[in-house]
Amino acid sequence: MALAETPVVTGLLAPEPAPVEEQDVLVEVPAPNGRFNGMDTFPEHTEPEEEPAAGSEPEPHFSEPEFFMPEEEPEPKDMEAEIEQSIRDAWFWLEKGHTERGIELFQFALEQYPGNERLKLEYHAALENMEHKELVEDPAAPEETPVLKQENNPPSEETGREEANEAKSYELMGDMAADKGDYLFAKYCWDRAAEINPAYPGIFRKLGLMTCEHLQDYRETAVHYLNQALLANPNDAEVHLALAGAILQNGDAAVADRHYTQAVMLDPSMRTSEHDRLYRPENTQRQAAPPPEPPVIIETAPAPVAQPAPEKRDVLTVLITGATSGIGRATAEIFARNGHRVILTGRRIERLVLLKTQFEEEFHTDVLMLPFDVRDQGAVQAALDNLPESWQNIDILINNAGLAKGLAPVQEGNLDHWETMIDTNLKGLLYVTRAVSPGMVARRRGHIINLGSSAGKEVYTNGNVYCATKFAVDALTRAMRLDLHVHNIRVSSVSPGHVEETEFAVTRFDGDTERAKIYNDFQPLKAADVAETIWFIASRPPHVNIQDIVLFGTQQASATVVDRSGR
């Protein structure tokens, strides 16, 4: 067979994504099925400046991928699973803002399953949810790809340099994650590099090979990555072989054979008997198995009597929100130091990477990062729905993420500040709890610890909305306890007064470090003091539920009474 002069690019070829102009970091996992059903538009998203802990007052090596022959006649359940996965993949790209890619995924699935009513409904729901974009559609053919009117504004030279540096940083973080086996996070980082610079050298090759080998649930996305890699280098034998396997999993044996042939022509060492059995079963000669060798009898000495192993303490899986600073960071550290596995969540990915590296090297414990904003319900649900299997049984949930914004009377209040506090302190806590608590109920085991505040016990002047959110946390803790005690779930709260070693005051005053110097004339609590209190609550025997702990520094008597005579 002659070597083709042009690349063989088949499967799902999605357009290059436009750069995403958002600063928050989300986990790139498929959104739950029907994530946007019934909604008129995509959810808007705002970004707080910081997400400190709450509680105060005023190129990796890839081995050759293995693939398996699909069944010739898939069972109905398999077909339904494939359709569901296609819908999840499409909504994932739509949620990330890559409209053309998401629509193309729906159309590709409709070509495979043209009579599926659920697929049609989801597709039309996707079209309806694009009303906020400027579209040119043919109303007589709703299943055609919408044409988007876009403006091409070339970036400045300075912007180009900044984007190149950012893309390089994400690539390096992805390399580190892949080396440690954290493939979902590696995919996230490399995806970000590709979004920032779609022409970044080798990035789609990395994504395609890793996704094929380690993330086989993302097979449609893997086909896209590999096709993009072939556009950059059509003579990459390893990419052709990986694409053959990915397409074979989708049931297109003829196209898979073409890519396998191309791989062999580029690199004859790619041809093995195992590959021939996969891609050319009709040409494979079955060889007779060699006769079995007689068993070898080895005389061994009697095994020594095994000594009973020392009793080990249960290793718990602990999820801490807002773990990148303050109380959240201190709490994550105390659990990691005591040998427990920790799931760190937060928006600032660089800090998550540093904490993961520190805890793994210093405490030799397992750490999983989930970079998301607790205010984004879709991101929260998607991240927790797609946890690796070994991380799905969360034993302790610590709802720490929270903040204060502004200090003004209600008639002068900043509406953006109010929205940020309500969305983070209250709704964010609810989103995470709603995603985690069903698993605890099913296992009849778990502990939820909410970070309250002394501001949730007594109000103070100009603290109106912040106090309201913390009063709500206190009420939710009590109500959750009533709901969950019958399922053997413990629910607790910690309500501290002033706490230093956090970003609470700086965030409240919008980065004004001078106004944030509110602890200079007295000694407040430290973040570690609150973390130790949380550890005490969590480490009680299973029959003990501590409902609430209120704690102050010695010089603070209430939310408003503080001895400011000096430290």
Side-chain angles (χ1 to χ4, degrees):
M1 181 181 294
L3 176 61
E5 295 181 357
T6 57
V8 181
V9 182
T10 56
L12 180 60
L13 179 56
E16 295 180 3
V20 179
E21 297 182 358
E22 59 182 20
Q23 297 178 356
D24 60 329
V25 181
L26 304 176
V27 172
E28 295 202 359
V29 292
N33 294 342
R35 165 73 178 86
F36 295 102
N37 287 355
M39 295 177 63
D40 294 328
T41 59
F42 289 108
E44 296 182 356
H45 182 68
T46 57
E47 175 76 33
E49 295 180 4
E50 297 289 345
E51 185 181 284
S56 298
E57 183 203 356
E59 179 123 354
H61 172 73
F62 298 100
S63 60
E64 188 170 276
E66 297 181 2
F67 303 99
F68 302 92
M69 286 293 293
E71 297 180 359
E72 295 181 0
E73 296 182 4
E75 294 293 331
K77 290 184 178 179
D78 295 334
M79 183 181 71
E80 291 176 5
E82 291 181 5
I83 292 172
E84 289 296 326
Q85 183 63 44
S86 297
I87 292 171
R88 288 164 64 89
D89 289 345
W91 279 116
F92 162 63
W93 290 112
L94 289 168
E95 184 180 14
K96 291 299 295 177
H98 302 310
T99 305
E100 291 178 281
R101 188 181 300 178
I103 292 297
E104 187 170 344
L105 280 172
F106 270 126
Q107 292 175 338
F108 181 82
L110 283 168
E111 289 176 5
Q112 293 182 304
Y113 308 104
N116 187 273
E117 292 299 324
R118 163 137 166 87
L119 199 53
K120 290 180 181 179
L121 288 173
E122 294 283 352
Y123 173 66
H124 287 291
L127 294 179
E128 291 174 2
N129 280 322
M130 290 159 49
E131 293 175 356
H132 68 292
K133 292 183 178 291
E134 188 177 2
L135 301 173
V136 177
E137 286 188 281
D138 179 4
E143 295 190 2
E144 293 295 323
T145 304
V147 180
L148 302 183
K149 291 183 177 179
Q150 297 178 341
E151 296 182 1
N152 294 322
N153 297 318
S156 65
E157 184 176 342
E158 182 178 355
T159 301
R161 285 195 299 269
E162 291 176 354
E163 290 181 351
N165 292 335
E166 186 178 4
K168 182 63 176 177
S169 298
Y170 276 110
E171 183 200 23
L172 293 176
M173 285 192 291
D175 291 348
M176 292 172 54
D179 286 340
K180 293 184 178 181
D182 195 347
Y183 300 114
L184 275 174
F185 182 61
K187 176 183 180 298
Y188 163 75
C189 291
W190 292 341
D191 262 336
R192 287 288 294 146
E195 288 174 358
I196 295 166
N197 180 10
Y200 194 90
I203 197 67
F204 285 108
R205 186 181 193 274
K206 284 184 174 184
L207 279 163
L209 295 178
M210 184 203 66
T211 303
C212 279
E213 184 176 0
H214 300 291
L215 302 172
Q216 294 190 15
D217 287 341
Y218 293 79
R219 58 187 182 278
E220 298 292 350
T221 306
V223 171
H224 164 66
Y225 292 149
L226 294 169
N227 274 317
Q228 292 292 328
L230 285 180
L231 288 177
N233 180 12
N235 296 321
D236 192 323
E238 189 175 4
V239 171
H240 275 289
L241 183 64
L243 186 55
I247 292 174
L248 186 63
Q249 286 185 320
N250 290 337
D252 197 337
V255 177
D257 181 37
R258 288 165 54 194
H259 281 286
Y260 174 54
T261 300
Q262 189 81 350
V264 171
M265 293 177 67
L266 292 168
D267 183 359
S269 67
M270 293 287 184
R271 183 169 189 177
T272 65
S273 58
E274 180 180 357
H275 289 157
D276 279 347
R277 282 194 298 270
L278 282 173
Y279 303 111
R280 299 171 180 171
E282 68 278 4
N283 298 332
T284 302
Q285 298 291 336
R286 295 196 176 189
Q287 300 179 355
E293 297 182 0
V296 178
I297 301 175
I298 302 176
E299 295 183 0
T300 59
V305 178
Q307 298 296 324
E311 184 177 349
K312 294 183 178 180
R313 180 181 56 193
D314 288 341
V315 175
L316 303 176
T317 299
V318 186
L319 188 154
I320 304 106
T321 65
T324 57
S325 66
I327 296 172
R329 175 173 180 162
T331 301
E333 181 174 333
I334 196 169
F335 278 93
R337 186 188 303 119
N338 282 275
H340 298 293
R341 295 158 20 112
V342 291
I343 302 175
L344 309 177
T345 82
R347 294 176 297 105
R348 292 172 288 189
I349 191 169
E350 296 83 2
R351 294 195 181 187
L352 290 174
V353 171
L354 290 174
L355 284 176
K356 177 179 171 71
T357 302
Q358 175 192 342
F359 290 174
E360 289 177 343
E361 292 179 355
E362 185 175 348
F363 305 130
H364 307 290
T365 190
D366 294 332
V367 180
L368 179 68
M369 295 180 296
L370 293 182
F372 61 71
D373 187 335
V374 296
R375 299 177 306 160
D376 188 332
Q377 190 273 333
V380 171
Q381 193 68 48
L384 296 174
D385 281 351
N386 290 276
L387 284 171
E389 184 176 357
S390 61
W391 289 90
Q392 291 176 1
N393 294 341
I394 296 171
D395 298 295
I396 301 175
L397 166 62
I398 300 173
N399 282 312
N400 165 76
L403 47 74
K405 296 286 285 183
L407 190 66
V410 68
Q411 73 274 13
E412 299 174 8
N414 183 311
L415 296 183
D416 289 337
H417 288 170
W418 294 0
E419 295 284 353
T420 299
M421 287 187 284
I422 293 169
D423 288 348
T424 305
N425 301 353
L426 184 55
K427 293 167 68 176
L429 181 150
L430 287 170
Y431 293 156
V432 178
T433 301
R434 181 62 181 83
V436 172
S437 58
M440 293 181 171
V441 170
R443 295 187 301 273
R444 292 190 57 81
R445 174 181 177 179
H447 195 168
I448 299 173
I449 303 175
N450 297 327
L451 255 293
S453 170
S454 61
K457 306 295 183 180
E458 53 180 320
V459 297
Y460 54 83
T461 303
N462 297 334
N464 38 72
V465 175
Y466 176 70
C467 291
T469 63
K470 288 305 179 179
F471 266 81
V473 170
D474 185 65
L476 272 174
T477 302
R478 297 169 184 270
M480 288 162 58
R481 173 72 178 138
L482 293 175
D483 292 341
L484 296 174
H485 80 281
V486 295
H487 301 289
N488 199 41
I489 310 300
R490 298 192 287 178
V491 182
S492 308
S493 65
V494 179
S495 302
H498 284 293
V499 183
E500 65 179 357
E501 301 177 339
T502 74
E503 297 172 353
F504 180 88
V506 174
T507 301
R508 160 163 269 177
F509 297 115
D510 291 330
D512 188 335
T513 54
E514 289 301 315
R515 289 189 68 192
K517 293 178 180 179
I518 61 175
Y519 307 128
N520 290 353
D521 53 4
F522 76 104
Q523 176 62 64
L525 296 167
K526 297 180 180 293
D529 298 328
V530 184
E532 289 174 358
T533 304
I534 294 170
W535 168 254
F536 175 80
I537 291 174
S539 59
R540 296 309 88 201
H543 69 280
V544 177
N545 184 101
I546 296 177
Q547 182 84 16
D548 187 16
I549 291 181
V550 180
L551 64 158
F552 294 108
T554 303
Q555 289 180 269
Q556 182 178 3
S558 73
T560 57
V561 178
V562 180
D563 172 15
R564 295 183 178 271
S565 60
R567 287 180 173 245

